[in-house]
Amino acid sequence: MRDIYLDNNATTKVDPQVVDVMLPYFTEQFGNPSSIHRFADGVAKGIKNARQQIQELLGCEHDSEIIFTSCGTESDSTAILSAIKAQPFKKEIITTAVEHPAILNLCEYLEKEGYTIHRLPVDKRGRLNLEAYKAMLSDKVAIVSVMWANNETGTIFPVVEMAEMANAAGVMFHTDAVQAVGKIPMNLKDTKIDMLSLSGHKLHAPKGIGVLYLKRGTRYRPLLRGGHQERGRRAGTENSASIVGLGKACELALQYMEHENTHVKAMRDRLERGIVEQIPHCFITGDLENRLPNTTDIAFEYIEGEAILMLLNKAGIAASSGSACTSGSLEPSHVMRAMGIPYTAAHGTIRFSFSRYNSMADVDQVLKVMPDIAAALRNLSPYWENGAPVANPEQAFAPTYS
Amino acid sequence: MWDYSEKVQEHFFNPKNAGAVKDANAIGEVGSISCGDALRLTLKVNPESEIIEESGFQTFGCGSAIASSSVLTEIIKGMTLDEALKVTNQDIADHLDGLPPEKMHCSVMGREALQAAVANYRGEEWSDDHEEGALVCKCFAIDAVMIEEMVWANKLRTVEDVTNFTKAGGGCAACHEDIEAILEKVLAEKGEKFDPDAAPIEVAKPKAEKKPLTNLQRIKRIEEVLDSLRPQLMADGGNVELVEVIGNTAYVNMTGACNGCQMSAMTIAGIQQRLMEVLGEFIKVVPASEMAKLVTIGA
Ligand SMILES: Cc1ncc(COP(=O)(O)O)c(C=O)c1O
Ligand code: FES
């Protein structure tokens, strides 16, 4: 049986067409793009071409607004640190409670350095309150950083509208669009988004290549200083093969945009409907009407996520979990806690994330094994009895301490 | 995902004694759903002999929680209650060929459920005697509560102090920032200020006035510990031989099934852990093959 990969929000397979365009840059066009000889002349052209392919996917005005970085995390760090360095008197940052650690841990660090961090809460569907957001905007805020789409639930935030609001208040706006780019259409030139992060490995390009989009006219300070690469905005010899690969991946993402939002979405929809219909006591998390087409995050009550993943893995199915145990912490995912998902369910969340490489047969296979997996683990659970949760789980099970 | 041993996987995929024992007369319950781990242990104890005749578990938790519960029920079956009380969490982990440091708390939960069940049988109150904090140092499996207690008790002031007293921070250094945050917090509670450059406090030998071991004593103690581990290694078709002790480094030969087996690195880590516990000092266990390298380089 073919192994089934449903963890595309974690990372994706590199498209063979992407690999093909990259290969010559390892052994033939391996020159340093800054050099002046024939091992290098194709490289600068390849990079320029990639910049245009990315420009097209993002819908930005100039290809010089694309800065290549080493990953999504570097783009996020560059954006926030640039904003605070360029505006030293602004000591506040607005973000959300459900960002990726690339943003959250940086903000926590800056908090220790004396910055005030406003973390917008979400409701139980994972939605933001724009009134509360508006009230936070002021001339003391250096930057707003709000993710375009959530990596766990796929919930999409209204970043275009939020950027307008920030702009009206004279505040810089960054979005971590690592999960959104390539899955939903965007047209940055019609927005007030000043900076945007993307990461190659989420859209069938290799790992270790990212982009920071920087709208022309936005004040900026580089993170890495050194050579003149990327016009001095990000020093270090270009990762030319990966840049060319990312360009191709963006071109393909644009071609597959409709496919993603029809076929891929149909697979996701069928999977989550099937699971919720067949398995009692489980529910889909996040903003169901406003989600990435490829993502579903399902909470299975009274069982634990890592145990589910291990059984799925044994059945040849790869997914991931917001459970505490997969990360080694004692708390379930901050996203689930921010949405107020009860503990009885938060420990048992499983994320299935699709790509164009999946098929309906994959969906059927998961639907075939998932009910048995849930039942097997519930049979072991002290919170489950005779095919149903015990009457009052927290009371029926009365441990000596908790 | 986690690097689980085959034993862990075996017990997870085919758990032994799952479900509640009928007519159990000893029940221990620990954990809670909010922690993400909960275990109910049910035992049938022979009232005459106090021998555990049947044991069953019900667990809500991750792979290693289920495996720890399963192996525990196997270990204690046939034991008397007094024997069972001697089972430590390390024993549980050892029977699973080790657990990742982040998962050691699963074995702790097993031992606590056992204590709770025995207390329940004897009509005693059982209360959890330790508080578990977030894991800070993964290299040495030291949690925040432990570090805080040590900082309070021994007036520690720097990361170096904490490393000297708890080992935390003595490995990859990834936890130094977290240790500093704990120092900052505790020192603030005491009205002091954290100064990263403070001189290390006089190391008046961690805790009790323990004399350092002489090399001869150390070797003897190491042999004793290895002897105690030997039956278990042999059960798996392997063995261990002490080749040389230089300072705090013990060079060993893994033989039989342990030799070259994937598990040998983990077994060595387990031996090292046990040695440090028993000897109360830092011991590094290194395959004797590494020693040969050292010698040739030196020669
Ligand atoms: C929303 C989001 N931001 C940032 C990142 C980090 O990207 P990278 O792995 O390229 O650093 C990820 C990837 O996990 C992500 O999902
Ligand atoms: S995690 Fe503490 S030294 Fe490695």
Side-chain angles (χ1 to χ4, degrees), chain A residues 89-140:
Chain A
F89 300 108
K90 302 190 172 188
K91 296 288 186 194
E92 294 181 20
I93 295 171
I94 299 176
T95 184
T96 79
V98 295
E99 295 297 305
H100 188 271
I103 295 289
L104 280 187
N105 286 345
L106 176 64
C107 285
E108 198 178 303
Y109 169 74
L110 292 172
E111 199 164 35
K112 287 187 198 142
E113 303 275 289
Y115 282 85
T116 302
I117 312 293
H118 304 282
R119 296 174 183 83
L120 282 164
V122 295
D123 66 11
K124 61 180 193 299
R125 282 270 152 231
R127 293 168 300 206
L128 297 171
N129 177 341
L130 293 194
E131 286 303 310
Y133 166 60
K134 192 167 182 188
M136 282 175 191
L137 289 165
S138 78
D139 56 7
K140 294 199 226 64

Short mmCIF file of all heavy atoms in Angstrom, two decimals, chain A residues 89-140:
data_model
loop_
_atom_site.label_atom_id
_atom_site.label_comp_id
_atom_site.label_asym_id
_atom_site.label_seq_id
_atom_site.Cartn_x
_atom_site.Cartn_y
_atom_site.Cartn_z
N PHE A 89 11.61 54.82 18.70
CA PHE A 89 10.81 55.40 19.78
C PHE A 89 9.46 54.72 19.95
O PHE A 89 8.68 55.05 20.83
CB PHE A 89 10.65 56.91 19.58
CG PHE A 89 11.99 57.58 19.58
CD1 PHE A 89 12.54 58.09 18.41
CD2 PHE A 89 12.74 57.64 20.76
CE1 PHE A 89 13.80 58.66 18.41
CE2 PHE A 89 14.01 58.21 20.77
CZ PHE A 89 14.54 58.72 19.59
N LYS A 90 9.16 53.80 19.05
CA LYS A 90 7.89 53.09 19.17
C LYS A 90 8.13 51.77 19.88
O LYS A 90 8.88 50.93 19.39
CB LYS A 90 7.29 52.86 17.78
CG LYS A 90 7.07 54.17 17.04
CD LYS A 90 6.25 53.97 15.79
CE LYS A 90 5.89 55.33 15.20
NZ LYS A 90 4.95 55.19 14.08
N LYS A 91 7.48 51.60 21.00
CA LYS A 91 7.83 50.46 21.86
C LYS A 91 6.71 49.44 22.00
O LYS A 91 6.67 48.68 22.95
CB LYS A 91 8.22 50.98 23.27
CG LYS A 91 9.46 51.84 23.28
CD LYS A 91 10.70 50.98 23.03
CE LYS A 91 11.98 51.81 23.19
NZ LYS A 91 13.14 51.11 22.63
N GLU A 92 5.75 49.47 21.07
CA GLU A 92 4.67 48.49 21.17
C GLU A 92 4.57 47.68 19.88
O GLU A 92 4.89 48.16 18.80
CB GLU A 92 3.33 49.21 21.43
CG GLU A 92 3.28 49.89 22.78
CD GLU A 92 1.95 50.59 23.04
OE1 GLU A 92 0.95 50.24 22.37
OE2 GLU A 92 1.92 51.47 23.91
N ILE A 93 4.12 46.44 20.03
CA ILE A 93 3.92 45.56 18.88
C ILE A 93 2.55 44.92 19.03
O ILE A 93 2.19 44.49 20.14
CB ILE A 93 5.01 44.46 18.83
CG1 ILE A 93 6.39 45.10 18.60
CG2 ILE A 93 4.71 43.42 17.75
CD1 ILE A 93 7.55 44.14 18.75
N ILE A 94 1.80 44.86 17.95
CA ILE A 94 0.51 44.16 17.99
C ILE A 94 0.64 42.87 17.20
O ILE A 94 1.13 42.87 16.07
CB ILE A 94 -0.62 45.01 17.37
CG1 ILE A 94 -0.79 46.33 18.14
CG2 ILE A 94 -1.94 44.23 17.36
CD1 ILE A 94 -1.82 47.27 17.52
N THR A 95 0.21 41.78 17.80
CA THR A 95 0.19 40.52 17.08
C THR A 95 -1.04 39.72 17.55
O THR A 95 -1.93 40.31 18.14
CB THR A 95 1.53 39.76 17.25
OG1 THR A 95 1.51 38.60 16.45
CG2 THR A 95 1.79 39.38 18.70
N THR A 96 -1.08 38.42 17.29
CA THR A 96 -2.22 37.64 17.76
C THR A 96 -1.72 36.52 18.66
O THR A 96 -0.54 36.18 18.65
CB THR A 96 -3.03 37.01 16.60
OG1 THR A 96 -2.33 35.84 16.15
CG2 THR A 96 -3.22 37.98 15.45
N ALA A 97 -2.66 35.93 19.37
CA ALA A 97 -2.32 34.85 20.31
C ALA A 97 -2.03 33.55 19.59
O ALA A 97 -1.56 32.60 20.21
CB ALA A 97 -3.45 34.65 21.31
N VAL A 98 -2.32 33.49 18.29
CA VAL A 98 -2.24 32.21 17.59
C VAL A 98 -1.17 32.16 16.50
O VAL A 98 -1.17 31.29 15.65
CB VAL A 98 -3.61 31.83 16.96
CG1 VAL A 98 -4.64 31.62 18.05
CG2 VAL A 98 -4.07 32.90 15.98
N GLU A 99 -0.22 33.14 16.56
CA GLU A 99 0.85 33.14 15.55
C GLU A 99 1.73 31.90 15.68
O GLU A 99 1.73 31.20 16.70
CB GLU A 99 1.73 34.38 15.75
CG GLU A 99 1.05 35.70 15.52
CD GLU A 99 0.56 35.89 14.11
OE1 GLU A 99 1.38 35.76 13.18
OE2 GLU A 99 -0.63 36.17 13.92
N HIS A 100 2.52 31.69 14.66
CA HIS A 100 3.54 30.64 14.69
C HIS A 100 4.63 31.04 15.70
O HIS A 100 4.84 32.23 15.92
CB HIS A 100 4.14 30.52 13.28
CG HIS A 100 5.08 29.37 13.10
ND1 HIS A 100 6.43 29.47 13.35
CD2 HIS A 100 4.86 28.10 12.70
CE1 HIS A 100 7.01 28.30 13.09
NE2 HIS A 100 6.08 27.45 12.71
N PRO A 101 5.32 30.06 16.30
CA PRO A 101 6.40 30.41 17.23
C PRO A 101 7.44 31.35 16.64
O PRO A 101 8.10 32.08 17.38
CB PRO A 101 7.03 29.05 17.57
CG PRO A 101 5.98 28.04 17.29
CD PRO A 101 5.09 28.61 16.23
N ALA A 102 7.60 31.36 15.31
CA ALA A 102 8.57 32.27 14.68
C ALA A 102 8.26 33.71 15.06
O ALA A 102 9.15 34.55 15.15
CB ALA A 102 8.54 32.10 13.16
N ILE A 103 7.00 34.04 15.27
CA ILE A 103 6.60 35.37 15.70
C ILE A 103 6.46 35.41 17.23
O ILE A 103 7.00 36.30 17.89
CB ILE A 103 5.25 35.78 15.07
CG1 ILE A 103 5.38 35.89 13.54
CG2 ILE A 103 4.72 37.07 15.68
CD1 ILE A 103 6.18 37.07 13.05
N LEU A 104 5.78 34.44 17.79
CA LEU A 104 5.46 34.49 19.22
C LEU A 104 6.69 34.48 20.10
O LEU A 104 6.79 35.24 21.06
CB LEU A 104 4.55 33.32 19.60
CG LEU A 104 3.07 33.50 19.26
CD1 LEU A 104 2.27 32.35 19.84
CD2 LEU A 104 2.55 34.84 19.79
N ASN A 105 7.64 33.61 19.79
CA ASN A 105 8.82 33.53 20.64
C ASN A 105 9.70 34.75 20.50
O ASN A 105 10.33 35.18 21.46
CB ASN A 105 9.61 32.24 20.36
CG ASN A 105 8.90 31.02 20.91
OD1 ASN A 105 7.98 31.15 21.73
ND2 ASN A 105 9.31 29.85 20.49
N LEU A 106 9.73 35.33 19.30
CA LEU A 106 10.48 36.56 19.12
C LEU A 106 9.83 37.68 19.95
O LEU A 106 10.51 38.44 20.64
CB LEU A 106 10.51 36.94 17.64
CG LEU A 106 11.18 38.28 17.32
CD1 LEU A 106 12.65 38.26 17.69
CD2 LEU A 106 11.03 38.62 15.83
N CYS A 107 8.49 37.75 19.92
CA CYS A 107 7.80 38.79 20.68
C CYS A 107 8.01 38.60 22.18
O CYS A 107 8.19 39.57 22.91
CB CYS A 107 6.30 38.79 20.35
SG CYS A 107 5.97 39.51 18.73
N GLU A 108 8.00 37.35 22.60
CA GLU A 108 8.22 37.09 24.02
C GLU A 108 9.61 37.59 24.44
O GLU A 108 9.79 38.16 25.51
CB GLU A 108 8.10 35.58 24.25
CG GLU A 108 7.87 35.18 25.68
CD GLU A 108 7.72 33.67 25.78
OE1 GLU A 108 6.83 33.11 25.11
OE2 GLU A 108 8.51 33.06 26.50
N TYR A 109 10.56 37.36 23.56
CA TYR A 109 11.92 37.83 23.83
C TYR A 109 11.96 39.36 23.89
O TYR A 109 12.55 39.96 24.78
CB TYR A 109 12.85 37.29 22.73
CG TYR A 109 14.22 37.88 22.73
CD1 TYR A 109 15.15 37.51 23.70
CD2 TYR A 109 14.60 38.81 21.76
CE1 TYR A 109 16.42 38.06 23.70
CE2 TYR A 109 15.86 39.36 21.76
CZ TYR A 109 16.78 38.98 22.73
OH TYR A 109 18.03 39.53 22.73
N LEU A 110 11.27 40.00 22.93
CA LEU A 110 11.27 41.47 22.91
C LEU A 110 10.56 42.03 24.14
O LEU A 110 10.89 43.11 24.63
CB LEU A 110 10.62 41.98 21.63
CG LEU A 110 11.41 41.69 20.35
CD1 LEU A 110 10.61 42.07 19.11
CD2 LEU A 110 12.75 42.44 20.36
N GLU A 111 9.59 41.28 24.64
CA GLU A 111 8.88 41.70 25.85
C GLU A 111 9.87 41.82 27.01
O GLU A 111 9.83 42.77 27.78
CB GLU A 111 7.80 40.66 26.17
CG GLU A 111 6.70 41.15 27.09
CD GLU A 111 5.50 40.21 27.04
OE1 GLU A 111 5.70 38.98 26.91
OE2 GLU A 111 4.37 40.70 27.15
N LYS A 112 10.76 40.85 27.09
CA LYS A 112 11.77 40.89 28.15
C LYS A 112 12.69 42.09 27.96
O LYS A 112 13.25 42.61 28.91
CB LYS A 112 12.60 39.61 28.15
CG LYS A 112 11.85 38.41 28.68
CD LYS A 112 12.78 37.21 28.82
CE LYS A 112 11.97 35.93 28.91
NZ LYS A 112 12.59 34.82 28.20
N GLU A 113 12.85 42.52 26.71
CA GLU A 113 13.71 43.66 26.43
C GLU A 113 12.98 44.97 26.68
O GLU A 113 13.52 46.03 26.40
CB GLU A 113 14.17 43.64 24.97
CG GLU A 113 14.88 42.38 24.58
CD GLU A 113 16.37 42.42 24.92
OE1 GLU A 113 17.09 43.18 24.25
OE2 GLU A 113 16.78 41.72 25.87
N GLY A 114 11.73 44.91 27.09
CA GLY A 114 11.02 46.13 27.45
C GLY A 114 9.92 46.54 26.48
O GLY A 114 9.30 47.59 26.67
N TYR A 115 9.66 45.76 25.45
CA TYR A 115 8.58 46.10 24.53
C TYR A 115 7.24 45.67 25.10
O TYR A 115 7.15 44.69 25.86
CB TYR A 115 8.80 45.44 23.16
CG TYR A 115 9.83 46.18 22.35
CD1 TYR A 115 11.18 45.91 22.52
CD2 TYR A 115 9.45 47.19 21.46
CE1 TYR A 115 12.14 46.62 21.82
CE2 TYR A 115 10.40 47.90 20.76
CZ TYR A 115 11.75 47.61 20.94
OH TYR A 115 12.69 48.33 20.26
N THR A 116 6.19 46.39 24.76
CA THR A 116 4.85 45.98 25.14
C THR A 116 4.25 45.20 23.97
O THR A 116 4.21 45.71 22.85
CB THR A 116 3.97 47.22 25.43
OG1 THR A 116 4.60 47.95 26.47
CG2 THR A 116 2.58 46.80 25.85
N ILE A 117 3.83 43.98 24.25
CA ILE A 117 3.27 43.14 23.19
C ILE A 117 1.77 43.01 23.40
O ILE A 117 1.33 42.55 24.46
CB ILE A 117 3.91 41.73 23.21
CG1 ILE A 117 5.43 41.80 23.28
CG2 ILE A 117 3.43 40.92 21.99
CD1 ILE A 117 6.13 42.37 22.08
N HIS A 118 1.00 43.42 22.42
CA HIS A 118 -0.46 43.20 22.46
C HIS A 118 -0.76 41.95 21.67
O HIS A 118 -0.48 41.91 20.47
CB HIS A 118 -1.21 44.38 21.83
CG HIS A 118 -0.89 45.70 22.46
ND1 HIS A 118 -1.42 46.10 23.65
CD2 HIS A 118 -0.07 46.70 22.04
CE1 HIS A 118 -0.96 47.30 23.96
NE2 HIS A 118 -0.14 47.69 23.01
N ARG A 119 -1.31 40.94 22.33
CA ARG A 119 -1.65 39.71 21.62
C ARG A 119 -3.16 39.63 21.47
O ARG A 119 -3.87 39.38 22.44
CB ARG A 119 -1.14 38.49 22.39
CG ARG A 119 0.38 38.43 22.51
CD ARG A 119 0.80 37.28 23.40
NE ARG A 119 2.25 37.23 23.60
CZ ARG A 119 2.93 37.95 24.49
NH1 ARG A 119 2.29 38.77 25.28
NH2 ARG A 119 4.24 37.85 24.59
N LEU A 120 -3.63 39.84 20.26
CA LEU A 120 -5.08 39.81 20.04
C LEU A 120 -5.62 38.42 20.32
O LEU A 120 -5.12 37.43 19.77
CB LEU A 120 -5.39 40.17 18.58
CG LEU A 120 -5.31 41.63 18.21
CD1 LEU A 120 -5.26 41.78 16.70
CD2 LEU A 120 -6.51 42.39 18.78
N PRO A 121 -6.66 38.32 21.17
CA PRO A 121 -7.24 37.00 21.42
C PRO A 121 -8.12 36.58 20.25
O PRO A 121 -8.43 37.39 19.37
CB PRO A 121 -8.08 37.22 22.67
CG PRO A 121 -8.42 38.67 22.67
CD PRO A 121 -7.33 39.39 21.91
N VAL A 122 -8.53 35.32 20.25
CA VAL A 122 -9.47 34.84 19.23
C VAL A 122 -10.67 34.24 19.94
O VAL A 122 -10.59 33.88 21.11
CB VAL A 122 -8.83 33.77 18.31
CG1 VAL A 122 -7.70 34.35 17.50
CG2 VAL A 122 -8.34 32.57 19.12
N ASP A 123 -11.79 34.14 19.20
CA ASP A 123 -12.97 33.51 19.80
C ASP A 123 -12.88 32.00 19.60
O ASP A 123 -11.87 31.49 19.12
CB ASP A 123 -14.27 34.11 19.24
CG ASP A 123 -14.46 33.80 17.76
OD1 ASP A 123 -13.71 32.95 17.22
OD2 ASP A 123 -15.35 34.40 17.13
N LYS A 124 -13.95 31.28 19.95
CA LYS A 124 -13.78 29.82 19.95
C LYS A 124 -13.73 29.25 18.55
O LYS A 124 -13.36 28.10 18.35
CB LYS A 124 -14.84 29.15 20.83
CG LYS A 124 -16.28 29.35 20.44
CD LYS A 124 -17.14 28.59 21.47
CE LYS A 124 -18.57 28.45 21.00
NZ LYS A 124 -19.21 29.79 20.80
N ARG A 125 -14.05 30.06 17.55
CA ARG A 125 -13.87 29.65 16.16
C ARG A 125 -12.54 30.15 15.59
O ARG A 125 -12.29 30.06 14.40
CB ARG A 125 -15.04 30.16 15.30
CG ARG A 125 -16.29 29.31 15.47
CD ARG A 125 -16.29 28.18 14.46
NE ARG A 125 -17.01 27.01 14.90
CZ ARG A 125 -16.51 25.77 14.87
NH1 ARG A 125 -15.31 25.55 14.44
NH2 ARG A 125 -17.21 24.76 15.26
N GLY A 126 -11.75 30.81 16.45
CA GLY A 126 -10.44 31.27 16.00
C GLY A 126 -10.46 32.62 15.30
O GLY A 126 -9.50 32.96 14.61
N ARG A 127 -11.55 33.39 15.48
CA ARG A 127 -11.66 34.67 14.77
C ARG A 127 -11.21 35.84 15.64
O ARG A 127 -11.35 35.82 16.86
CB ARG A 127 -13.11 34.90 14.33
CG ARG A 127 -13.57 33.92 13.27
CD ARG A 127 -15.06 33.99 13.07
NE ARG A 127 -15.78 33.67 14.30
CZ ARG A 127 -17.02 33.18 14.31
NH1 ARG A 127 -17.69 32.97 13.18
NH2 ARG A 127 -17.60 32.92 15.45
N LEU A 128 -10.71 36.90 14.98
CA LEU A 128 -10.26 38.10 15.69
C LEU A 128 -11.40 39.09 15.84
O LEU A 128 -12.35 39.09 15.06
CB LEU A 128 -9.12 38.77 14.91
CG LEU A 128 -7.84 37.97 14.73
CD1 LEU A 128 -6.92 38.69 13.75
CD2 LEU A 128 -7.15 37.78 16.08
N ASN A 129 -11.26 39.97 16.82
CA ASN A 129 -12.22 41.05 17.01
C ASN A 129 -11.58 42.34 16.51
O ASN A 129 -10.66 42.87 17.11
CB ASN A 129 -12.56 41.14 18.50
CG ASN A 129 -13.50 42.29 18.79
OD1 ASN A 129 -13.62 43.23 18.00
ND2 ASN A 129 -14.14 42.21 19.94
N LEU A 130 -12.07 42.83 15.36
CA LEU A 130 -11.42 43.99 14.73
C LEU A 130 -11.63 45.29 15.51
O LEU A 130 -10.84 46.22 15.39
CB LEU A 130 -11.89 44.14 13.28
CG LEU A 130 -11.45 43.01 12.34
CD1 LEU A 130 -11.67 43.41 10.88
CD2 LEU A 130 -10.00 42.59 12.54
N GLU A 131 -12.69 45.34 16.31
CA GLU A 131 -12.90 46.53 17.14
C GLU A 131 -11.77 46.64 18.17
O GLU A 131 -11.20 47.70 18.39
CB GLU A 131 -14.26 46.44 17.87
CG GLU A 131 -15.46 46.69 16.97
CD GLU A 131 -15.39 48.05 16.30
OE1 GLU A 131 -15.16 49.05 17.01
OE2 GLU A 131 -15.53 48.11 15.06
N ALA A 132 -11.49 45.50 18.79
CA ALA A 132 -10.42 45.47 19.80
C ALA A 132 -9.09 45.84 19.15
O ALA A 132 -8.28 46.59 19.71
CB ALA A 132 -10.33 44.09 20.43
N TYR A 133 -8.90 45.36 17.94
CA TYR A 133 -7.68 45.65 17.19
C TYR A 133 -7.56 47.15 16.94
O TYR A 133 -6.52 47.77 17.19
CB TYR A 133 -7.69 44.86 15.89
CG TYR A 133 -6.68 45.28 14.85
CD1 TYR A 133 -5.31 45.24 15.12
CD2 TYR A 133 -7.10 45.70 13.58
CE1 TYR A 133 -4.39 45.60 14.15
CE2 TYR A 133 -6.18 46.06 12.62
CZ TYR A 133 -4.83 46.02 12.89
OH TYR A 133 -3.92 46.38 11.94
N LYS A 134 -8.64 47.73 16.49
CA LYS A 134 -8.63 49.14 16.16
C LYS A 134 -8.24 49.98 17.38
O LYS A 134 -7.47 50.93 17.28
CB LYS A 134 -10.03 49.56 15.67
CG LYS A 134 -10.03 50.93 15.04
CD LYS A 134 -11.32 51.19 14.29
CE LYS A 134 -11.24 52.57 13.64
NZ LYS A 134 -12.52 52.94 13.06
N ALA A 135 -8.76 49.56 18.54
CA ALA A 135 -8.48 50.32 19.76
C ALA A 135 -7.01 50.26 20.16
O ALA A 135 -6.52 51.14 20.87
CB ALA A 135 -9.36 49.80 20.89
N MET A 136 -6.32 49.24 19.71
CA MET A 136 -4.90 49.10 20.08
C MET A 136 -3.97 49.94 19.22
O MET A 136 -2.84 50.23 19.60
CB MET A 136 -4.46 47.64 19.91
CG MET A 136 -4.90 46.74 21.01
SD MET A 136 -4.42 45.07 20.54
CE MET A 136 -5.31 44.16 21.78
N LEU A 137 -4.43 50.28 18.01
CA LEU A 137 -3.55 51.00 17.08
C LEU A 137 -3.28 52.40 17.60
O LEU A 137 -4.19 53.11 17.99
CB LEU A 137 -4.21 51.07 15.69
CG LEU A 137 -4.29 49.75 14.91
CD1 LEU A 137 -5.27 49.88 13.74
CD2 LEU A 137 -2.90 49.35 14.42
N SER A 138 -1.99 52.78 17.62
CA SER A 138 -1.66 54.14 18.04
C SER A 138 -0.28 54.47 17.49
O SER A 138 0.40 53.61 16.92
CB SER A 138 -1.63 54.23 19.56
OG SER A 138 -0.41 53.68 20.06
N ASP A 139 0.17 55.72 17.71
CA ASP A 139 1.49 56.08 17.18
C ASP A 139 2.62 55.49 18.02
O ASP A 139 3.79 55.70 17.73
CB ASP A 139 1.61 57.61 17.05
CG ASP A 139 1.35 58.32 18.36
OD1 ASP A 139 1.20 57.61 19.39
OD2 ASP A 139 1.30 59.57 18.36
N LYS A 140 2.27 54.74 19.06
CA LYS A 140 3.32 54.08 19.83
C LYS A 140 3.66 52.69 19.26
O LYS A 140 4.63 52.06 19.65
CB LYS A 140 2.87 53.90 21.29
CG LYS A 140 2.69 55.20 22.05
CD LYS A 140 2.70 54.90 23.55
CE LYS A 140 1.61 55.57 24.33
NZ LYS A 140 0.23 55.26 24.11
#
